[in-house]
């Protein structure tokens, strides 16, 4: 099998695993315990917090460890919206339909169940949110805006620093979901100017089940998980010490090796995009043609069942993903692809190919050789 789904998850880096292992059997104390076992575990967490903070160019006490990027998104939106409403009465939330469901579904729940008001930001043909779109949507009653740094489905990179600047000038909290971006883009919070930023470890060769939320000092959040006073009383629960250590090591390596990793995947990505658009009829690139993640290629093919194509690719030895979620007897196109304006006959035929440190030119050559025939076969089956 050739793995081409690094946006979904990445293998754990061996150096990350080595950093984690002692905290399963040797330094296994509860970090909330007073004795030396607990003290050692607590020290490991605080060292990890310092390591993450150095990458994000922020204070260590602005880092909250969570179970994943989705939880970080939930804490950011729900926590910030609730806190803002209780202090200032503001209740408008701004976000877009191209966001990860951890953001868009949370925003919808806040509207439906908690009485907040929700406005969907306009996106352009590449699925991006412009400064003009945010400025147009801002009102005096806006509490929070959330725009992802880079889109997980189509790879488009948003102008986060510009958007955060607009929010700041209007006294609006600004959150960005940087879960997909952190593997390849700079996550310097001072440069970006965000108030809240979500990260997830398994997108940059760390373990699954751990994430972080950057919370700018002075930003009020209502905790969404209550209990003990862990994580500055914003996220109760015994901390997952080995995973937190692994998260910090993986993020540090991603920052150190960003240029070399980008230089490795970008030519492979460009080869895939160029070949697919040239060789496969009725194919379109989704997302921005240049301002996109360096490892990310995504397409729609007219009159193709994306889920069928994935199954055919899997049988042929390639692991990829699609934007269309297939319910039994009721395939529906991805909301992200639909937001780009594609009709159903195009939107159902989405395909995402994402590369990583282990991807090779031989693997890519093999893929672009096989894909055209599989797309043609999927079209014929779809027309029956």
């Amino acid at each position: 099998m050739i793995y081409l789904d690094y946006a979904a998850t990445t293998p754990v880096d061996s150096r990350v695993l080595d950093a984690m292992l002692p905290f399963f059997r040797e330094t296994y104390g509860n970090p909330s315990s007073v004795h030396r076992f607990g003290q050692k575990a607590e020290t490991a967490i605080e060292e990890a917090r310092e390591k993450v903070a150095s990458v994000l160019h922020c204070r260590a006490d602005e880092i909250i460890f969570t179970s994943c990027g989705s939880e970080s998104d939930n804490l950011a939106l729900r926590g910030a919206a609730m806190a803002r409403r209780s202090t200032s009465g503001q209740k408008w939330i701004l976000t877009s339909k191209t966001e990860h469901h951890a953001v868009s579904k949370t925003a919808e729940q806040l509207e439906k169940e908690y009485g907040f008001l929700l406005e969907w930001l306009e996106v352009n043909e590449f699925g991006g949110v412009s400064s003009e779109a945010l400025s147009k949507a801002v009102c005096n009653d806006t509490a929070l805006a959330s725009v992802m740094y880079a889109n997980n489905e189509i790879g488009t990179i948003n102008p986060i620093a510009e958007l955060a600047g607009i929010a700041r000038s209007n006294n609006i909290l600004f959150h960005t979901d940087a879960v997909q971006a952190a593997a390849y883009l700079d996550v310097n919070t001072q440069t970006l100017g965000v108030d809240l930023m979500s990260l997830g470890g398994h997108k940059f060769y760390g373990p699954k089940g751990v994430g972080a939320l950057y919370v700018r000092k002075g930003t009020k959040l209502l905790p969404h998980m209550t209990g003990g006073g862990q994580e500055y009383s914003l996220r109760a629960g015994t901390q997952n010490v080995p995973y937190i250590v692994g998260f910090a090591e993986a993020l540090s390596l991603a920052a150190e090796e960003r240029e070399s990793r980008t230089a490795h995947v970008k030519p492979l990505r460009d080869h895939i995009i160029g070949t697919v658009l040239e060789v496969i009829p009725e194919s379109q690139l989704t997302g921005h043609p240049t301002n996109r993640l360096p490892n990310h290629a995504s397409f729609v093919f007219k009159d193709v069942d994306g889920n069928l194509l994935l199954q055919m690719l899997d049988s042929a030895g390639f692991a990829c993903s699609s934007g269309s979620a297939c319910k039994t007897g009721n395939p529906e196109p991805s909301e992200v692809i639909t937001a780009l304006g594609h009709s159903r006959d195009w939107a159902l035929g989405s395909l995402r190919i994402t590369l990583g440190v282990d991807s090779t030119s031989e693997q890519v050559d093999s893929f672009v050789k096989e894909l055209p025939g599989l797309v043609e076969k999927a079209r014929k089956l779809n027309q029956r």
Side-chain angles (χ1 to χ4, degrees), residues 295-317:
N295 71 324
H296 196 297
S298 54
F299 307 92
V300 284
F301 304 108
K302 188 179 181 185
D303 296 326
V304 169
D305 180 334
N307 291 288
L308 174 61
L309 180 60
L310 285 186
Q311 294 168 22
M312 293 167 66
L313 282 164
D314 185 65
S315 296

Side-chain angles (χ1 to χ4, degrees), residues 73-91:
D73 286 339
N74 272 258
L75 175 57
L77 263 71
R78 197 173 286 109
M82 295 285 194
R84 263 294 167 108
R85 185 170 66 178
S86 68
T87 57
S88 66
Q90 295 170 327
K91 54 188 177 180

Side-chain angles (χ1 to χ4, degrees), residues 49 72 74 82 85 98 104 210 238 248 255 302 320-321 335:
R49 206 184 303 277
S72 296
N74 272 258
M82 295 285 194
R85 185 170 66 178
T98 54
S104 61
V210 62
T238 302
K302 188 179 181 185
C320 304
S321 69
E335 292 170 352

Side-chain angles (χ1 to χ4, degrees), residues 366-381:
S366 178
F367 173 75
V368 295
K369 182 180 178 181
E370 289 286 336
L371 182 63
L374 294 175
V375 170
E376 183 180 358
K377 184 176 180 181
R379 276 199 176 117
K380 289 178 179 177
L381 290 171

Side-chain angles (χ1 to χ4, degrees), residues 29 82 85 95 118 136 138 165 197 202 259 294 307 341 349:
M82 295 285 194
R85 185 170 66 178
T95 191
L118 173 61
K136 181 181 174 183
V138 166
M197 181 168 67
H202 72 107
E259 289 186 12
N307 291 288

Side-chain angles (χ1 to χ4, degrees), residues 86-363:
S86 68
T87 57
S88 66
Q90 295 170 327
K91 54 188 177 180
W92 276 96
I93 298 169
L94 308 177
T95 191
S96 78
K97 291 195 174 181
T98 54
E99 292 292 312
H100 189 279
H101 278 170
V103 168
S104 61
K105 296 295 184 185
T106 301
E108 287 177 346
Q109 187 196 58
L110 285 166
E111 179 187 40
K112 182 179 179 182
E113 305 293 343
Y114 296 93
F116 285 88
L117 301 171
L118 173 61
E119 181 172 348
W120 298 109
L121 297 168
E122 294 177 4
V123 297
N124 58 30
E125 61 186 304
F126 307 122
V129 176
S130 67
S131 300
E132 293 75 20
L134 180 59
S135 297
K136 181 181 174 183
V138 166
C139 70
N140 292 332
D141 207 17
T142 304
L144 171 72
S146 180
V147 179
M148 69 197 324
Y149 195 171
N151 191 280
N152 54 301
E153 270 189 58
I154 57 176
T156 296
I157 300 169
N158 282 306
I160 296 303
E162 293 178 23
L163 298 172
I166 292 167
R168 186 168 55 254
S169 65
N170 287 278
N171 192 32
I172 297 166
L173 289 178
F174 188 85
H175 165 256
T176 189
D177 175 340
V179 172
Q180 200 64 236
Y184 291 100
L185 304 181
D186 188 8
V187 285
N188 183 330
T189 57
Q190 301 309 307
T191 304
L192 294 173
V194 298
D195 299 298
L196 301 144
M197 181 168 67
S198 303
L199 302 170
H202 72 107
K203 304 296 188 181
F204 43 78
Y205 307 95
K208 299 173 185 66
V210 62
L213 177 65
Y214 160 76
V215 183
R216 184 180 294 279
K217 199 69 177 174
T219 303
K220 302 295 184 184
L221 290 186
L222 186 76
H224 73 154
M225 188 178 291
T226 52
Q230 296 93 342
E231 299 303 306
Y232 307 104
S233 296
L234 288 176
R235 200 271 183 186
T238 302
Q239 293 108 324
N240 191 335
V241 183
Y243 280 42
I244 287 171
V245 169
F247 176 95
E249 181 68 13
L251 183 64
S252 182
L253 289 169
E256 289 172 17
E257 301 177 1
R258 182 171 294 127
E259 289 186 12
S260 61
R261 293 182 185 184
T262 297
H264 172 66
V265 295
K266 193 169 181 290
L268 300 177
R269 178 207 70 179
D270 291 344
H271 179 50
I272 291 172
I273 292 173
T275 303
V276 168
L277 296 179
E278 180 181 351
V279 173
I280 301 178
E282 293 187 297
S283 62
Q284 290 185 30
L285 182 73
T286 54
H288 199 281
T290 55
N291 189 32
R292 63 187 300 126
L293 290 169
N295 71 324
H296 196 297
S298 54
F299 307 92
V300 284
F301 304 108
K302 188 179 181 185
D303 296 326
V304 169
D305 180 334
N307 291 288
L308 174 61
L309 180 60
L310 285 186
Q311 294 168 22
M312 293 167 66
L313 282 164
D314 185 65
S315 296
F318 302 98
C320 304
S321 69
S322 173
S324 54
C326 183
K327 301 173 184 175
T328 306
N330 183 31
E332 289 298 326
S334 153
E335 292 170 352
V336 175
I337 303 300
T338 303
L340 301 182
H342 291 294
S343 56
R344 188 179 177 85
D345 55 343
W346 281 91
L348 282 170
S350 64
L351 178 67
R352 182 184 72 182
I353 306 103
T354 44
L355 306 159
V357 295
D358 297 319
S359 300
T360 66
S361 57
E362 290 78 16
Q363 291 176 345

